[in-house]
Amino acid sequence: MWQGQDKTWLHYVKDIIAADVYSAVFLASYLRQGSLKRSYVPALEVIDLQKYKVVTDVKKVGKALRERMHIPFVFVVGKN
């Protein structure tokens, strides 16, 4: 992909690693927008071993992320 080009990866704030400033700014704005709109929630599931349930409904996953994450044996996993 970058054959013949010497790229230096730089570490920016909030653990962003990018080859140039423009890529870092784009990634930071994308991550900020995703966290504000919570667009990552449909890609997650919550495994609740307290209730012996796997929560896959988007609204219930969002609710579990807000209310049940402090409880032991409640895990967030990706739907891959």
Side-chain angles (χ1 to χ4, degrees):
M1 184 164 114
W2 288 332
Q3 296 172 350
Q5 298 178 1
D6 294 327
K7 295 287 185 181
T8 303
W9 293 91
L10 299 174
H11 188 256
Y12 296 95
V13 294
K14 296 189 179 181
D15 294 330
I16 293 175
I17 298 174
D20 58 356
V21 175
Y22 301 110
S23 298
V25 169
F26 173 76
L27 183 58
S29 65
Y30 179 77
L31 291 173
R32 183 175 183 276
Q33 180 183 4
S35 66
L36 289 176
K37 292 185 177 182
R38 295 193 183 266
S39 60
Y40 57 87
V41 174
L44 298 175
E45 292 178 331
V46 175
I47 298 174
D48 190 350
L49 296 180
Q50 294 283 338
K51 294 184 176 182
Y52 299 107
K53 289 174 52 177
V54 176
V55 180
T56 56
D57 183 43
V58 177
K59 291 180 182 179
K60 290 182 180 179
V61 168
K63 184 177 179 182
L65 286 174
R66 285 190 308 273
E67 298 174 359
R68 298 196 51 85
M69 292 315 327
H70 66 281
I71 299 172
F73 301 109
V74 176
F75 304 101
V76 179
V77 295
K79 289 182 182 178
N80 287 350

